[in-house]
Structure formats: C-alpha cells, structure tokens
Amino acid sequence: MRVNILSIKLNLVAAALSAPLYWGFFQQSGTTKLIGSSFRVLGKDATYDYVKSVQFTPPNLSKLGPGVTVPYDPSAFGQGGPLHVSYSNFYQPISPFVTKAFAALGLRSIRGFNSGKLIGYSHLTDAIDPQAETRSSAETSFLAALLEQSTLQVYKQTLAKKIVFSGKRASGVQVQTVGVNYTLTARKEVIVAAGAFRTPQLLMVSGVGPQASLSKPGVSVVSNLKGWEKVPTRYYSSLSKTLRADLARFPKDWPDLELFPSVFSPPDPKDNFAVFLITLLTTSRGTVTLNSIDTADNPVVDPNYLDTETDQQVAIQAYKRALELVKASGYTTGPEPPPPTSDAQILDLVKNGTAPFYHATGTCKMGKQSDSGAVVDINGKVYSVQGLRVVDASIFPLTPPGHIMATVCEFTFEKFPCNIK
C-alpha cells in the first residue's frame, strides 16, 4: 500500500430559476464517512424525519469478516416500507487504516448518519436490497408496485416540451413521443419533478421565470419570477472575520466538510486509495438559463465554482485536513510529486481538480412570497400561477448537510402526497 490520491469533489447546490445556483465548495472532515459502496443516506435525515417508506435491515456482520463492527441506531429507521435500506456486505481493506486516522484526528465514532447527528465518522447506509444485493430505487420500490395496483399511465420515450396555461392556470403539458407531438391535459394540477436543472428549464420555456431571461429566447412570460466535521479550530482561526461570519450563518450542528476515503483504481489498481473532499456549505452562486426554447436542448448551467473568498478559503483548509487524514492513516506516500505548500498552490490545484458531487438543489427555491428569489411555497405550489406544483430537489432553498437522498424521498413520497388531493 503506497500511493495516496487526493481528489476534490463539489457538492452541487443551487438557488432559484435563472438566478442563483449554489454549487458548493467546502469540505467536511468531521462528518467524515467511512467506507460504503454507494452514496445514499436514508432514515431520519439531518433535516427531515424520513422513516415511513423504509424497510431497514441491520448489517450482516458474518459477511464483513472477523473483527468488523458497524455501530448503528435502530431507532433512526422505519420498518414496513417498500424502500430497502441496509449496509454493504463488503468491507474495504483500507477501512481499518481510515478508522485509525479518523480517531487520531480527534473525530468521534457515531452510530451512523441517519439520526440527524452528523458530526463524526461512521459507515454509510446503502439503498440496496440486502438479500438480492441489488439497488433499491424509487422505480423498484414505488413505481413498479404502483403500476400493478393502479391505473397509472407511464408514457415511455416521452419528453415534456412545455406546460400549457389557460390564463394563469396550468391545464396540461405538451409532450413529444418518438417525434409525435400531443398534449396531456390535467383535471386538477400539473406536478413537475424533472430535477434541479430540467425543472427550471421546463418552467422557463413555459413562460414562468425572470422576464429578463425569457425575453432573449423569445418566450412569452406567464409569470415573472426570480429566481461532517466543522472546519477544525486551528484552520478556522486563520479565516478572516468576514469569512467566519459567512460560515456562522449556518446552524452550528451542520458540518462544513466531508472527507470520503475510498479505493481508487488508476493508475495502479492494486494499492491506491482516494480521499474525496466534499464541501457541504457554500456561498458561491451560479445560474441556470435557457439555451433555446426547446427542452431537447440542454439548459445552460454555470456553476460559478469557488466564486467567493469564503468558498476558496474553506476549500484550502479542507485540503490541509485531508493531508492530515492521509498521514494519520499509516499509508506511505509513493512516487508522487510533493503536495503543494502554499495556499495559492492549493487553491490552484483545487480549481483544476474539482468535479460535481451531483447534489444539485435550489433552482426553484421554496420561500415566502415576499422573497424575490422564491419560486414555490411550502407545499411546492408555484407562485403567481395556479395548478402548478414542483416536487423535486430544485425547491430546496439550500442543500442540507449530508447526502440528500433521504430529504428528497421525504418530500416526494411522504410530505407532498399528504397535500395533493
């Protein structure tokens, strides 16, 4: 075991139609996650209590090998739901080294990340059926059963082109199936769940969005809307007063950083591992705008990575924290170039080595109607029109700490169905 590879990952965050889109860049070395085979956290989320839809299975220690323990809190999970939540049956060889490193850095072992307490390190739960060892998804857990038990009609190979309005009321959706255009009508309301980038695109091509952004592509405006560890103290104290005030806006029990150690294949698959530096909070803002009035064309997404000094400085401190984790793990560094020594060198490395972590949120922000950036109300109903609702992660006003699957599922499968009649 000789080579350590450090990679930077960006946690996607967003903020309101054609306006802000937060693509985060802070790191977490406190809510650090110990090895897991997928990136799902389900149970009682850090922000929302999500248990009704879950079928939890405890870890199978007999498959993980001798001496392996997986602390967990059974009260954090539900039973009897269709969505399987369990633990991986595979224990990566680097796990003992990572556990040693976390403890050496002063991180506390906690009983999982599903109870709402995120500061510390633990194993990740997976959305897998432990018996079949297959992915348990929204499609396998909810849609498949619904198709058998109801008259729900699914239109395959069909693209939503535009929401149809009668005055200010959404009355249907223009769609296209293998080149054939037609309109689906709605008796009560149109419910959109196209994701953090496609949902704002569909709203904007339908005339719901900032007038300034819609006039250029020639869209008729229907509604003019705008759209797990804290940073260690010795690093935190090096930040300016302004930067510390930026971070203080978030709740104290929300981690700033995530360090995700995992096996990494190239260039030598035999003995490499990576530490993914995942930033959980952010102050940079980007945009989502229209490329054309055709939803077959991708929208224009400008993440505006590392735009603020706060994001840059936290990323630098996170990189330093990751180097500490590598050293504490007991792995020896192989024939790689020496790590950067100055903050300027670290920032340059970060800027050239970042990648999204695909937790995009906030492009159709939920908020009070008096908030000029809010698109939907507390029930996901779009302001200034009737009969139109959004039920995906685009409505989150910011990205919750930790991974967002539980929060998305809680909104989609538990909260909103109670309000949709």
Side-chain angles (χ1 to χ4, degrees):
M1 297 175 289
R2 54 184 174 80
V3 181
N4 300 306
I5 300 174
L6 294 176
S7 301
I8 309 294
K9 287 284 184 178
L10 293 178
N11 196 31
L12 284 172
V13 195
L17 278 177
S18 166
L21 176 155
Y22 290 89
W23 289 43
F25 208 168
F26 292 13
Q27 317 303 334
Q28 163 190 338
S29 51
T31 299
T32 310
K33 300 184 174 168
L34 199 62
I35 335 303
S37 64
S38 71
F39 308 137
R40 276 87 187 151
V41 180
L42 287 168
K44 290 184 178 178
D45 182 86
T47 312
Y48 297 102
D49 187 0
Y50 173 65
V51 295
K52 297 178 183 177
S53 300
V54 169
Q55 177 61 47
F56 174 67
T57 302
N60 188 339
L61 299 181
S62 65
K63 291 188 176 183
L64 293 176
V68 176
T69 60
V70 182
Y72 67 95
D73 180 5
S75 68
F77 303 95
Q79 293 290 351
L83 184 63
H84 287 280
V85 176
S86 57
Y87 288 87
S88 172
N89 290 329
F90 173 70
Y91 195 66
Q92 294 185 12
I94 66 169
S95 295
F97 296 90
V98 174
T99 303
K100 168 190 170 184
F102 285 154
L105 294 182
L107 277 71
R108 181 171 57 91
S109 175
I110 61 175
R111 295 194 299 165
F113 300 113
N114 306 83
S115 66
K117 296 179 176 62
L118 295 178
I119 306 295
Y121 70 90
S122 184
H123 294 76
L124 276 176
T125 47
D126 300 325
I128 58 175
D129 180 337
Q131 300 301 320
E133 296 188 341
T134 56
R135 170 79 182 276
S136 186
S137 66
E139 187 275 330
T140 61
S141 303
F142 297 94
L143 180 60
L146 193 60
L147 289 174
E148 294 180 357
Q149 300 168 7
S150 72
T151 58
L152 177 69
Q153 175 68 48
V154 174
Y155 292 81
K156 299 179 180 180
Q157 299 182 357
T158 298
L159 178 66
K161 305 292 286 185
K162 184 180 180 180
I163 299 168
V164 179
F165 286 90
S166 298
K168 292 281 188 177
R169 171 167 288 278
S171 58
V173 182
Q174 291 181 5
V175 300
Q176 183 182 85
T177 303
V178 292
V180 178
N181 296 303
Y182 54 101
T183 299
L184 300 173
T185 58
R187 294 194 189 98
K188 295 183 178 180
E189 61 181 12
V190 174
I191 300 174
V192 180
F197 300 137
R198 293 294 187 177
T199 288
Q201 180 192 28
L202 182 59
L203 293 184
M204 285 190 285
V205 301
S206 306
V208 179
Q211 186 169 7
S213 298
L214 303 187
S215 59
K216 185 176 180 179
V219 177
S220 298
V221 177
V222 175
S223 176
N224 180 23
L225 291 177
K226 301 178 182 178
W228 313 5
E229 164 189 53
K230 308 295 285 182
V231 175
T233 302
R234 63 183 177 282
Y235 294 142
Y236 188 81
S237 60
S238 69
L239 302 178
S240 70
K241 184 177 180 180
T242 301
L243 304 189
R244 281 181 280 167
D246 268 351
L247 296 180
R249 292 184 297 148
F250 299 96
K252 291 183 178 180
D253 61 347
W254 282 24
D256 306 315
L257 319 170
E258 177 182 348
L259 297 184
F260 197 115
S262 186
V263 171
F264 190 76
S265 295
D268 183 348
K270 292 183 294 184
D271 50 11
N272 291 308
F273 83 95
V275 181
F276 296 102
L277 316 178
I278 304 170
T279 62
L280 301 177
L281 310 177
T282 182
T283 57
S284 297
R285 298 165 72 92
T287 59
V288 178
T289 54
L290 293 179
N291 187 27
S292 75
I293 61 173
D294 189 351
T295 55
D297 296 328
N298 290 328
V300 178
V301 179
D302 177 10
N304 205 21
Y305 292 133
L306 298 172
D307 180 58
T308 66
E309 186 181 359
T310 298
D311 291 2
Q312 294 174 13
Q313 288 300 313
V314 174
I316 290 169
Q317 308 312 323
Y319 186 90
K320 295 176 181 178
R321 186 63 163 168
L323 288 177
E324 291 182 351
L325 177 68
V326 170
K327 182 180 293 187
S329 71
Y331 273 58
T332 57
T333 303
E336 288 193 340
T341 55
S342 70
D343 286 359
Q345 289 177 333
I346 293 174
L347 182 59
D348 184 66
L349 183 148
V350 168
K351 286 183 174 180
N352 289 282
T354 56
F357 207 57
Y358 311 113
H359 288 178
T361 66
T363 48
C364 297
K365 172 185 172 183
M366 177 188 289
K368 296 181 179 180
Q369 193 162 13
S370 58
D371 181 350
S372 62
V375 177
V376 303
D377 66 13
I378 193 172
N379 294 311
K381 294 183 177 181
V382 178
Y383 285 124
S384 302
V385 297
Q386 294 81 47
L388 182 60
R389 190 190 305 255
V390 178
V391 295
D392 59 31
S394 68
I395 68 174
F396 295 175
L398 74 169
T399 296
H403 298 179
I404 66 172
M405 181 178 179
T407 311
V408 173
C409 289
E410 192 275 342
F411 265 77
T412 305
F413 303 129
E414 296 187 11
K415 174 179 169 55
F416 284 130
C418 296
N419 297 316
I420 299 172
K421 305 298 182 181

